[in-house]
Amino acid sequence: MNDTLAATLGDPVAELERRFPYAAVLLSGSSGMRINDTGGEQSANEVSPARGAVFTVYDGTAFQEYATGDLEPDTLARDVRAWAAGVTPQSGGAPPAIGAAGTAGSRLIEEFRTEGEVAPGTVPLREKLAVIRDVQQRLKALDPRIVQARVIYGDATDEKLYIGRGRTLRQRVTRTVCGVLAAVSDGAQVRFHFESFGGTRGFEMTRIGDEQLRAVADMALRLLEAGKIEPGEYDVVTDPSISGVIAHESFGHGVELDLFPKGRARAAQYLDRQVASPLLNMYDDPSYPGGYGSYFFDDEGELARPVQILRDGVFVRPISDLASATLAPGVHTPNGRRQDYSRKTFARMSNTFFAAGQTPPAQLFEGIERGVYLRFAQSGVEDPMGWGIQVTARVGEEIRDGALTGTLYAPVGISGYVPDVLMSVSAVGSDFELSGAATCGKGHKELVPVSSGGPHLRLKARLA
């Protein structure tokens, strides 16, 4: 994204700012690679570049947008002017969340990029394939009962330029993820275990050691002995991955402010009310270093910062994009995100997590006569309006008299009403891990990178 292109985009924005109380442009593009290695086959595919620009104006009562993939300077300027000529300024004034254009104070010009040891774009495809194959072969060789070892790799570098509100902001964010799966068989059944390693880092994420691979293989093999859990209510200890999915599903989509006016989020009725244990504090933080969902500014030019959602169990703030921030309760957070330039902005999560507490993790097991330690999040589902939640753990291990017995259950699902589950939290671990590296959809579409995590938690829940 060179300076000539920035000027090409900046001139129309300046013209639009003279007519409208708010105007901005976002230029975005991506590049990357996906590799899948099953041992018998390797496949590699490039990430679709999806490069283009979207212009936004606030006409006084509503936001209007024009998106294009044609970045040829003369064509771009002509088409934007033609579009803007059909938009009539209204008498409503500036969006209340940001104030009028030209009143933002001194101009802010910043450029950001993630720090990684090895930029994936500098690594030739042949070398990437060789490294991934090495990981796959080392995993396959660990035990003859491994019937398939699979490695899934992906890198994506997103470049964005935002001009508006007196700001010219550029960012280059590289995300890399490497996942390893071991499927094992004893001749009668097949079980598998999967671990992924990802973040806003570079190709160094593929440096997966033998001990990490052994842990994946050993857990898969242990699952051959796992049984089904007897459904019922249990004392539960969750590892950081399970805690993170509970955070994501319980107060994730349900606190996205654009759902409130649609009547699709029960959380709208509970702002400033106790909804969880006083021990729980929860954040969405796109500025978290290295998080897979991290960025430096959102797609509406809002600089990344932590947003506290729960304070001592009280729901204190939703997350928002600029449009939803014009509605009650009128808070603006750095969570306006697009899948790409051709898609609408929505209020979206980034890195969502419970904050660490005061209890050493080992102490969470003390006093539990019969319970379950849930590990390795597999999936999660929520109902923002009904406030139901379901989280599936790949592994549950029996707790007896405060100690792990080695008896495994797989898989194990938590289900319940969000306030009941969160109110039952009786201890919060002093540890912390941001473990997720995934994409999250809104309505099964509009995918954006996210992460989740937290400390170990002790709670009561219905398991099945």
Side-chain angles (χ1 to χ4, degrees), residues 66-102:
Y66 172 76
T68 179
D70 186 351
L71 299 178
E72 197 281 323
D74 292 338
T75 304
L76 179 64
R78 181 197 65 208
D79 291 348
V80 171
R81 291 187 181 102
W83 161 73
V87 181
T88 302
Q90 306 296 317
S91 59
I98 61 169

Side-chain angles (χ1 to χ4, degrees), residues 1 7 18 24 194 208 259 261 265 290 297 339 359 361-362 366 381 387 392 402 426:
M1 296 184 181
R18 289 192 283 271
F194 177 82
I208 301 174
L259 297 185
F297 58 88
Q339 177 173 311
T359 306
E366 295 177 0
V381 179
W387 246 355
T392 302
S426 57

Side-chain angles (χ1 to χ4, degrees), residues 229-236 372 374 389-392 412-417 420-421 424 459-464:
I229 195 168
E230 180 181 348
E233 187 165 315
Y234 291 83
D235 289 310
V236 172
V372 181
L374 297 180
I389 184 174
Q390 292 183 332
V391 176
T392 302
V412 182
I414 298 175
S415 62
Y417 181 58
D420 290 346
V421 173
S424 76
L459 51 89
K460 287 184 179 291
R462 179 167 183 79
L463 305 182

Side-chain angles (χ1 to χ4, degrees), residues 18 22 62 87 117 119 124-125 185 190 192 227 229 239 241 244 254 279 281 306 314 340 344 388 393 415 437 457 462:
R18 289 192 283 271
Y22 168 79
V87 181
E117 292 181 37
L125 177 58
S185 177
V190 176
F192 77 92
I229 195 168
D239 79 352
S241 75
L279 299 174
N281 292 281
V314 175
D340 59 51
K344 183 183 181 298
S415 62
L457 298 177
R462 179 167 183 79

Side-chain angles (χ1 to χ4, degrees), residues 236-247 277 279-281 353-366 368 372-377 395 397 399 404 414 422 424-435 452-460:
V236 172
V237 176
T238 61
D239 79 352
S241 75
I242 302 294
S243 301
V245 174
I246 291 174
S277 164
L279 299 174
L280 285 178
N281 292 281
F353 53 85
F354 292 119
Q358 302 296 321
T359 306
Q363 291 184 14
L364 298 178
F365 298 84
E366 295 177 0
I368 297 179
V372 181
Y373 178 33
L374 297 180
R375 303 171 64 193
F376 307 115
V395 181
E397 184 168 355
I399 305 169
L404 295 171
I414 298 175
L422 298 187
S424 76
V425 172
S426 57
V428 178
S430 57
D431 61 323
F432 180 87
E433 181 181 346
L434 196 65
S435 55
S452 61
H456 280 74
L457 298 177
R458 176 169 165 171
L459 51 89
K460 287 184 179 291

Side-chain angles (χ1 to χ4, degrees), residues 131-279:
V131 170
I132 299 305
R133 175 52 58 91
D134 174 70
V135 175
Q136 190 277 335
Q137 291 182 337
R138 286 190 288 125
L139 177 59
K140 183 68 172 67
L142 288 175
D143 194 283
R145 289 169 291 179
I146 298 176
V147 294
Q148 185 182 77
R150 183 178 180 184
V151 181
I152 303 169
Y153 166 86
D155 64 64
T157 297
D158 296 324
E159 294 186 84
K160 294 182 179 179
L161 167 66
Y162 173 89
I163 302 173
R165 301 165 57 188
R167 302 176 178 185
T168 299
L169 306 174
R170 303 172 192 251
Q171 66 180 349
R172 181 183 176 92
V173 177
T174 296
R175 297 180 176 91
T176 305
V177 61
C178 191
V180 293
L181 180 147
V184 301
S185 177
D186 59 5
Q189 61 177 326
V190 176
R191 293 295 184 107
F192 77 92
H193 186 56
F194 177 82
E195 281 273 24
S196 65
F197 309 90
T200 48
R201 299 182 178 89
F203 193 68
E204 66 273 9
M205 297 302 297
T206 61
R207 297 173 188 162
I208 301 174
D210 291 341
E211 289 186 4
Q212 293 168 299
L213 296 177
R214 170 57 68 183
V216 173
D218 286 349
M219 181 53 70
L221 292 166
R222 288 187 65 193
L223 288 176
L224 291 171
E225 305 298 325
K228 291 292 185 182
I229 195 168
E230 180 181 348
E233 187 165 315
Y234 291 83
D235 289 310
V236 172
V237 176
T238 61
D239 79 352
S241 75
I242 302 294
S243 301
V245 174
I246 291 174
H248 180 101
E249 302 297 351
S250 62
F251 275 87
H253 289 300
V255 298
E256 292 169 342
L257 186 53
D258 54 4
L259 297 185
F260 286 18
K262 302 172 185 176
R264 292 173 53 194
R266 182 168 292 191
Q269 306 166 25
Y270 287 81
L271 191 62
D272 297 322
R273 294 173 59 182
Q274 194 84 34
V275 293
S277 164
L279 299 174

Side-chain angles (χ1 to χ4, degrees), residues 26 65 160 253 255-259 262 264 284 295 298-300 319-325 332-340 342-350 440-448:
L26 178 75
E65 293 193 332
K160 294 182 179 179
H253 289 300
V255 298
E256 292 169 342
L257 186 53
D258 54 4
L259 297 185
K262 302 172 185 176
R264 292 173 53 194
D284 187 273
Y295 45 85
D298 73 2
D299 292 339
E300 297 175 310
I319 60 176
S320 66
D321 62 334
L322 185 52
S324 62
H332 188 203
T333 69
N335 295 93
R337 305 184 69 187
R338 303 175 186 268
Q339 177 173 311
D340 59 51
S342 67
R343 308 296 187 99
K344 183 183 181 298
T345 300
F346 290 97
R348 303 301 304 276
M349 289 173 279
S350 59
C440 173
K442 192 156 183 168
H444 306 289
K445 57 182 179 180
E446 308 297 343
L447 299 175
V448 295

